[in-house]
Amino acid sequence: RGYTVHYHFIGDRSQEAALAAEIAAADARWPAQAEAQVTFAYSEEAAAQGESVYNQNCFPCHGMQMEGGIGPSFVDSEWIHGGQAADIVRTIREGVLDKGMVAWQGILNPEQINNVASYVIRRHSEATGRPIEEILLPPSDVGAEGAP
């Protein structure tokens, strides 16, 4: 009884205060970095590095050959959430929670998101013949079907 009174009232200590102090100390030691808003940049090097990110995180839902399964296929011409590079990056970052896809921002770093998006774009282009240059166009520059 004396401990409870001292700890919570006289000593002005609580679990919440201890946690807040630990968080403040961690923030001081490792300053929080704002989520980098890396501009998407496609490259063959990024696509090559993105293959391992895909194989570690994406294949359970999208398939080893990107043929789809729980999640949609990336090797056909149908895109549910937009088939332009900006759409693909946005979908990876923000996820599609109502369809069960987590938001990968905060799990994957911006470089990994760039790389896996590049890999998806390259594989989609190889499978469909759609030029990478076309996929890289801003969504506002393409028609409703995803082609200029």
Side-chain angles (χ1 to χ4, degrees), residues 122-148:
R122 185 182 77 200
R123 289 290 309 277
H124 172 74
S125 176
E126 291 168 353
T128 64
R130 186 173 173 215
I132 289 172
E133 297 76 21
E134 178 183 300
I135 300 168
L136 298 178
L137 291 173
S140 60
D141 290 355
V142 295
E145 289 80 42

mmCIF file of all heavy atoms in Angstrom, residues 122-148:
data_model
loop_
_atom_site.group_PDB
_atom_site.id
_atom_site.type_symbol
_atom_site.label_atom_id
_atom_site.label_comp_id
_atom_site.label_asym_id
_atom_site.label_seq_id
_atom_site.Cartn_x
_atom_site.Cartn_y
_atom_site.Cartn_z
ATOM 1 N N ARG A 122 9.129 -3.705 -65.111
ATOM 2 C CA ARG A 122 9.912 -4.437 -66.115
ATOM 3 C C ARG A 122 9.257 -5.762 -66.479
ATOM 4 O O ARG A 122 9.109 -6.092 -67.657
ATOM 5 C CB ARG A 122 11.341 -4.678 -65.624
ATOM 6 C CG ARG A 122 12.196 -5.348 -66.729
ATOM 7 C CD ARG A 122 13.584 -5.656 -66.283
ATOM 8 N NE ARG A 122 13.523 -6.846 -65.440
ATOM 9 C CZ ARG A 122 14.464 -7.194 -64.579
ATOM 10 N NH1 ARG A 122 15.539 -6.449 -64.413
ATOM 11 N NH2 ARG A 122 14.336 -8.290 -63.867
ATOM 12 N N ARG A 123 8.828 -6.500 -65.474
ATOM 13 C CA ARG A 123 8.200 -7.803 -65.740
ATOM 14 C C ARG A 123 6.883 -7.633 -66.486
ATOM 15 O O ARG A 123 6.553 -8.415 -67.377
ATOM 16 C CB ARG A 123 7.980 -8.571 -64.430
ATOM 17 C CG ARG A 123 9.245 -9.089 -63.770
ATOM 18 C CD ARG A 123 9.902 -10.240 -64.532
ATOM 19 N NE ARG A 123 8.958 -11.302 -64.854
ATOM 20 C CZ ARG A 123 8.596 -12.285 -64.028
ATOM 21 N NH1 ARG A 123 9.113 -12.363 -62.821
ATOM 22 N NH2 ARG A 123 7.713 -13.181 -64.417
ATOM 23 N N HIS A 124 6.102 -6.614 -66.145
ATOM 24 C CA HIS A 124 4.853 -6.333 -66.852
ATOM 25 C C HIS A 124 5.145 -6.010 -68.317
ATOM 26 O O HIS A 124 4.473 -6.519 -69.223
ATOM 27 C CB HIS A 124 4.108 -5.173 -66.189
ATOM 28 C CG HIS A 124 2.922 -4.712 -66.958
ATOM 29 N ND1 HIS A 124 1.744 -5.434 -67.020
ATOM 30 C CD2 HIS A 124 2.732 -3.613 -67.727
ATOM 31 C CE1 HIS A 124 0.882 -4.785 -67.793
ATOM 32 N NE2 HIS A 124 1.463 -3.678 -68.231
ATOM 33 N N SER A 125 6.143 -5.188 -68.550
ATOM 34 C CA SER A 125 6.513 -4.820 -69.911
ATOM 35 C C SER A 125 6.957 -6.050 -70.709
ATOM 36 O O SER A 125 6.556 -6.220 -71.870
ATOM 37 C CB SER A 125 7.633 -3.768 -69.885
ATOM 38 O OG SER A 125 8.065 -3.468 -71.194
ATOM 39 N N GLU A 126 7.767 -6.895 -70.106
ATOM 40 C CA GLU A 126 8.240 -8.113 -70.783
ATOM 41 C C GLU A 126 7.080 -9.033 -71.140
ATOM 42 O O GLU A 126 7.047 -9.616 -72.218
ATOM 43 C CB GLU A 126 9.239 -8.865 -69.901
ATOM 44 C CG GLU A 126 10.553 -8.160 -69.712
ATOM 45 C CD GLU A 126 11.426 -8.774 -68.621
ATOM 46 O OE1 GLU A 126 10.965 -9.685 -67.889
ATOM 47 O OE2 GLU A 126 12.576 -8.328 -68.492
ATOM 48 N N ALA A 127 6.117 -9.149 -70.237
ATOM 49 C CA ALA A 127 5.005 -10.079 -70.444
ATOM 50 C C ALA A 127 3.979 -9.565 -71.448
ATOM 51 O O ALA A 127 3.372 -10.351 -72.179
ATOM 52 C CB ALA A 127 4.314 -10.373 -69.111
ATOM 53 N N THR A 128 3.775 -8.258 -71.465
ATOM 54 C CA THR A 128 2.698 -7.706 -72.295
ATOM 55 C C THR A 128 3.193 -6.984 -73.542
ATOM 56 O O THR A 128 2.399 -6.693 -74.431
ATOM 57 C CB THR A 128 1.843 -6.707 -71.488
ATOM 58 O OG1 THR A 128 2.663 -5.589 -71.121
ATOM 59 C CG2 THR A 128 1.232 -7.363 -70.259
ATOM 60 N N GLY A 129 4.463 -6.657 -73.585
ATOM 61 C CA GLY A 129 4.991 -5.876 -74.698
ATOM 62 C C GLY A 129 4.733 -4.390 -74.560
ATOM 63 O O GLY A 129 5.094 -3.608 -75.438
ATOM 64 N N ARG A 130 4.129 -3.974 -73.473
ATOM 65 C CA ARG A 130 3.867 -2.554 -73.246
ATOM 66 C C ARG A 130 5.195 -1.849 -72.956
ATOM 67 O O ARG A 130 5.940 -2.254 -72.069
ATOM 68 C CB ARG A 130 2.911 -2.401 -72.066
ATOM 69 C CG ARG A 130 2.466 -0.987 -71.826
ATOM 70 C CD ARG A 130 1.388 -0.940 -70.756
ATOM 71 N NE ARG A 130 1.108 0.446 -70.430
ATOM 72 C CZ ARG A 130 0.786 0.874 -69.214
ATOM 73 N NH1 ARG A 130 0.665 0.012 -68.221
ATOM 74 N NH2 ARG A 130 0.555 2.141 -68.997
ATOM 75 N N PRO A 131 5.521 -0.807 -73.689
ATOM 76 C CA PRO A 131 6.810 -0.138 -73.496
ATOM 77 C C PRO A 131 6.944 0.482 -72.104
ATOM 78 O O PRO A 131 6.007 1.096 -71.584
ATOM 79 C CB PRO A 131 6.821 0.959 -74.560
ATOM 80 C CG PRO A 131 5.776 0.575 -75.546
ATOM 81 C CD PRO A 131 4.749 -0.209 -74.791
ATOM 82 N N ILE A 132 8.111 0.327 -71.514
ATOM 83 C CA ILE A 132 8.381 0.904 -70.203
ATOM 84 C C ILE A 132 8.171 2.417 -70.243
ATOM 85 O O ILE A 132 7.611 2.992 -69.301
ATOM 86 C CB ILE A 132 9.800 0.538 -69.726
ATOM 87 C CG1 ILE A 132 9.830 -0.953 -69.369
ATOM 88 C CG2 ILE A 132 10.232 1.395 -68.547
ATOM 89 C CD1 ILE A 132 11.193 -1.508 -69.061
ATOM 90 N N GLU A 133 8.571 3.051 -71.329
ATOM 91 C CA GLU A 133 8.419 4.504 -71.446
ATOM 92 C C GLU A 133 6.961 4.916 -71.293
ATOM 93 O O GLU A 133 6.658 5.971 -70.747
ATOM 94 C CB GLU A 133 8.958 4.999 -72.798
ATOM 95 C CG GLU A 133 10.441 4.771 -72.999
ATOM 96 C CD GLU A 133 10.805 3.317 -73.317
ATOM 97 O OE1 GLU A 133 9.936 2.535 -73.771
ATOM 98 O OE2 GLU A 133 11.967 2.957 -73.074
ATOM 99 N N GLU A 134 6.060 4.098 -71.801
ATOM 100 C CA GLU A 134 4.623 4.377 -71.684
ATOM 101 C C GLU A 134 4.167 4.231 -70.240
ATOM 102 O O GLU A 134 3.370 5.033 -69.743
ATOM 103 C CB GLU A 134 3.851 3.414 -72.579
ATOM 104 C CG GLU A 134 2.350 3.581 -72.509
ATOM 105 C CD GLU A 134 1.641 2.541 -73.358
ATOM 106 O OE1 GLU A 134 1.886 2.515 -74.570
ATOM 107 O OE2 GLU A 134 0.854 1.759 -72.776
ATOM 108 N N ILE A 135 4.669 3.230 -69.544
ATOM 109 C CA ILE A 135 4.290 2.991 -68.144
ATOM 110 C C ILE A 135 4.777 4.137 -67.261
ATOM 111 O O ILE A 135 4.132 4.473 -66.266
ATOM 112 C CB ILE A 135 4.851 1.640 -67.657
ATOM 113 C CG1 ILE A 135 4.302 0.498 -68.511
ATOM 114 C CG2 ILE A 135 4.527 1.411 -66.184
ATOM 115 C CD1 ILE A 135 5.008 -0.830 -68.315
ATOM 116 N N LEU A 136 5.882 4.751 -67.641
ATOM 117 C CA LEU A 136 6.462 5.831 -66.842
ATOM 118 C C LEU A 136 5.753 7.166 -67.011
ATOM 119 O O LEU A 136 5.972 8.086 -66.232
ATOM 120 C CB LEU A 136 7.949 5.992 -67.178
ATOM 121 C CG LEU A 136 8.829 4.777 -66.877
ATOM 122 C CD1 LEU A 136 10.267 5.052 -67.294
ATOM 123 C CD2 LEU A 136 8.745 4.355 -65.426
ATOM 124 N N LEU A 137 4.862 7.279 -67.993
ATOM 125 C CA LEU A 137 4.115 8.521 -68.187
ATOM 126 C C LEU A 137 3.245 8.812 -66.969
ATOM 127 O O LEU A 137 2.730 7.889 -66.333
ATOM 128 C CB LEU A 137 3.214 8.424 -69.422
ATOM 129 C CG LEU A 137 3.903 8.388 -70.778
ATOM 130 C CD1 LEU A 137 2.869 8.115 -71.881
ATOM 131 C CD2 LEU A 137 4.640 9.694 -71.041
ATOM 132 N N PRO A 138 3.041 10.089 -66.654
ATOM 133 C CA PRO A 138 2.127 10.428 -65.549
ATOM 134 C C PRO A 138 0.718 9.933 -65.864
ATOM 135 O O PRO A 138 0.299 9.926 -67.026
ATOM 136 C CB PRO A 138 2.164 11.948 -65.504
ATOM 137 C CG PRO A 138 3.395 12.346 -66.229
ATOM 138 C CD PRO A 138 3.656 11.270 -67.245
ATOM 139 N N PRO A 139 -0.036 9.522 -64.844
ATOM 140 C CA PRO A 139 -1.405 9.031 -65.076
ATOM 141 C C PRO A 139 -2.276 10.020 -65.856
ATOM 142 O O PRO A 139 -3.126 9.609 -66.635
ATOM 143 C CB PRO A 139 -1.952 8.803 -63.670
ATOM 144 C CG PRO A 139 -0.747 8.546 -62.837
ATOM 145 C CD PRO A 139 0.352 9.402 -63.440
ATOM 146 N N SER A 140 -2.040 11.309 -65.682
ATOM 147 C CA SER A 140 -2.851 12.306 -66.386
ATOM 148 C C SER A 140 -2.592 12.321 -67.881
ATOM 149 O O SER A 140 -3.388 12.868 -68.639
ATOM 150 C CB SER A 140 -2.579 13.701 -65.800
ATOM 151 O OG SER A 140 -1.206 14.021 -65.950
ATOM 152 N N ASP A 141 -1.488 11.697 -68.324
ATOM 153 C CA ASP A 141 -1.145 11.689 -69.744
ATOM 154 C C ASP A 141 -1.639 10.454 -70.483
ATOM 155 O O ASP A 141 -1.340 10.276 -71.653
ATOM 156 C CB ASP A 141 0.376 11.776 -69.933
ATOM 157 C CG ASP A 141 0.932 13.138 -69.549
ATOM 158 O OD1 ASP A 141 0.131 14.045 -69.237
ATOM 159 O OD2 ASP A 141 2.163 13.282 -69.570
ATOM 160 N N VAL A 142 -2.376 9.588 -69.787
ATOM 161 C CA VAL A 142 -2.865 8.363 -70.421
ATOM 162 C C VAL A 142 -4.368 8.301 -70.373
ATOM 163 O O VAL A 142 -5.016 8.955 -69.548
ATOM 164 C CB VAL A 142 -2.264 7.099 -69.758
ATOM 165 C CG1 VAL A 142 -0.772 7.026 -69.972
ATOM 166 C CG2 VAL A 142 -2.591 7.033 -68.293
ATOM 167 N N GLY A 143 -4.932 7.485 -71.246
ATOM 168 C CA GLY A 143 -6.384 7.335 -71.303
ATOM 169 C C GLY A 143 -6.894 6.464 -70.167
ATOM 170 O O GLY A 143 -6.147 5.928 -69.370
ATOM 171 N N ALA A 144 -8.188 6.296 -70.108
ATOM 172 C CA ALA A 144 -8.841 5.546 -69.032
ATOM 173 C C ALA A 144 -8.414 4.091 -69.011
ATOM 174 O O ALA A 144 -8.401 3.455 -67.969
ATOM 175 C CB ALA A 144 -10.361 5.637 -69.201
ATOM 176 N N GLU A 145 -8.043 3.517 -70.141
ATOM 177 C CA GLU A 145 -7.669 2.112 -70.189
ATOM 178 C C GLU A 145 -6.203 1.904 -69.795
ATOM 179 O O GLU A 145 -5.722 0.779 -69.777
ATOM 180 C CB GLU A 145 -7.883 1.519 -71.577
ATOM 181 C CG GLU A 145 -9.353 1.343 -71.928
ATOM 182 C CD GLU A 145 -9.972 2.649 -72.387
ATOM 183 O OE1 GLU A 145 -9.326 3.392 -73.145
ATOM 184 O OE2 GLU A 145 -11.105 2.932 -71.972
ATOM 185 N N GLY A 146 -5.473 2.953 -69.520
ATOM 186 C CA GLY A 146 -4.082 2.805 -69.113
ATOM 187 C C GLY A 146 -3.115 2.904 -70.267
ATOM 188 O O GLY A 146 -1.935 2.652 -70.116
ATOM 189 N N ALA A 147 -3.558 3.283 -71.426
ATOM 190 C CA ALA A 147 -2.664 3.460 -72.569
ATOM 191 C C ALA A 147 -2.883 4.856 -73.139
ATOM 192 O O ALA A 147 -3.973 5.389 -73.086
ATOM 193 C CB ALA A 147 -2.964 2.409 -73.636
ATOM 194 N N PRO A 148 -1.817 5.450 -73.664
ATOM 195 C CA PRO A 148 -1.968 6.816 -74.199
ATOM 196 C C PRO A 148 -2.874 6.877 -75.395
ATOM 197 O O PRO A 148 -3.146 5.928 -76.048
ATOM 198 C CB PRO A 148 -0.538 7.200 -74.578
ATOM 199 C CG PRO A 148 0.337 6.048 -74.313
ATOM 200 C CD PRO A 148 -0.484 4.946 -73.752
#
